[in-house]
């Protein structure tokens, strides 16, 4: 494939430039997307699925258009959109599809989506897909849901609290949107953010500290 495909894969495989100091964390996202996540609760009062919608910035979207527009007609045909979805699916598999689910402080494994649907509207690339907990996840204790790139290369932004929603019967659960303050996060985790932490980025997920998340306390 051409060079743009290579750079597209680099994004989705998580190549990142991150400058870290003891005073602050300065990430360098290269791609920006407006995100929406719907936490779907089933009739059994357990988490059924997590539905994602991402709308990418126009610069990145135009790059994808140029690369995957095989017939050079300046639009993406259904088969070209499907190819984008297949490429993204393969690339994000190692990153849990940018989905974070915790239950009482422990990470919850998720299943891969069957397909990532892709559209191109008003000059912007859109992606739609759903994942699910690998094991039953009842509405008990504290549950946390978020979406972020652990490498900080892509920035997924929930513009309003209404972009993180619960669908279905969650009666009795307290619903909170948490937008961490960077200075507070650094202060609270000062003992963890040692030089050894920063010297081993592959085994550390610092971006999780700063990610917006939806929290349910049931």
């Amino acid at each position: 494939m051409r060079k743009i495909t290579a750079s597209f894969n680099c994004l989705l495989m998580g190549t990142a430039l991150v400058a870290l100091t003891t005073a602050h964390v300065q990430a360098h996202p290269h791609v920006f997307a407006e995100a929406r996540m719907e936490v779907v609760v089933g009739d059994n009062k357990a988490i059924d699925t997590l539905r994602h919608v991402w709308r990418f910035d126009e610069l990145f979207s135009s790059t994808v258009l140029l690369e995957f527009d095989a017939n050079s007609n300046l639009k993406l045909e259904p088969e070209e959109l499907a190819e984008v979805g297949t490429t993204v699916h393969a690339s994000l598999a190692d990153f849990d599809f940018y989905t974070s689910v915790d239950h009482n402080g422990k990470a919850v494994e998720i299943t891969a989506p069957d397909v990532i649907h892709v559209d191109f509207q008003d000059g912007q690339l859109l992606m739609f897909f759903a994942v699910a907990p690998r094991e039953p996840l009842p509405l008990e204790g504290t549950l946390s849901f978020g979406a972020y790139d652990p490498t900080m290369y892509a920035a997924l932004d929930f513009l309003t609290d209404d972009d993180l929603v619960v669908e279905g019967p969650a009666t009795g659960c307290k619903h909170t949107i948490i937008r961490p303050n960077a200075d507070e996060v650094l202060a609270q985790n000062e003992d963890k953010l040692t030089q050894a932490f920063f010297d081993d980025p592959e085994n550390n997920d610092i971006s999780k500290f700063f990610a917006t998340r939806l929290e349910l306390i049931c």
Side-chain angles (χ1 to χ4, degrees):
M1 286 193 173
R2 299 188 293 272
K3 291 182 179 179
I4 295 176
T5 297
S7 62
F8 182 66
N9 280 329
C10 283
L11 156 70
L12 297 170
M13 290 302 292
T15 301
L17 297 175
V18 182
L20 299 168
T21 70
T22 57
H24 68 285
V25 176
Q26 182 180 3
H28 297 275
H30 290 63
V31 175
F32 301 87
E34 298 174 7
R36 176 178 174 83
M37 182 171 65
E38 298 174 353
V39 178
V40 182
V41 180
D43 292 336
N44 59 351
K45 293 190 176 180
I47 302 301
D48 185 14
T49 55
L50 306 174
R51 297 195 293 238
H52 292 283
V53 181
W54 300 342
R55 180 185 292 271
F56 288 88
D57 67 274
E58 292 181 354
L59 178 59
F60 177 69
S61 298
S62 63
T63 300
V64 175
L65 171 62
L66 289 174
E67 172 57 26
F68 286 85
D69 180 19
N71 59 4
S72 301
N73 65 349
L74 296 181
K75 62 181 181 180
L76 293 176
E77 310 292 351
E79 61 273 17
E80 295 165 344
L81 291 168
E83 184 181 355
V84 175
T86 299
T87 301
V88 174
H89 193 289
S91 299
L92 292 188
D94 290 338
F95 298 97
D96 289 330
F97 299 90
Y98 290 174
T99 302
S100 172
V101 181
D102 287 356
H103 184 208
N104 293 330
K106 295 183 179 180
V108 173
E109 293 186 6
I110 62 168
T111 62
D114 293 333
V115 63
I116 292 181
H117 302 280
V118 182
D119 201 357
F120 201 93
Q121 299 177 6
D122 300 324
Q124 290 182 281
L125 188 74
L126 287 93
M127 296 184 187
F128 314 81
F129 65 95
V131 298
R134 188 171 296 278
E135 302 293 337
L137 183 58
L139 291 180
E140 298 175 356
T142 300
L143 300 102
S144 178
F145 308 90
Y148 67 95
D149 175 6
T151 70
M152 297 187 185
Y153 195 93
L156 301 179
D157 188 10
F158 296 96
L159 295 182
T160 73
D161 290 355
D162 291 338
D163 292 318
L164 283 158
V165 300
V166 178
E167 299 283 354
T171 305
C173 295
K174 181 182 177 182
H175 174 174
T176 306
I177 305 300
I178 299 174
R179 297 180 180 272
N181 177 280
D183 292 335
E184 292 178 0
V185 169
L186 290 170
Q188 293 167 1
N189 295 276
E190 185 176 3
D191 58 331
K192 300 177 183 178
L193 303 179
T194 63
Q195 189 60 48
F197 183 98
F198 296 132
D199 287 344
D200 189 20
E202 291 187 359
N203 293 312
N204 296 312
D205 191 1
I206 189 173
S207 53
K208 186 174 183 177
F209 293 145
F210 303 94
T212 299
R213 63 187 185 274
L214 183 158
E215 186 174 270
L216 291 176
I217 300 178
C218 304

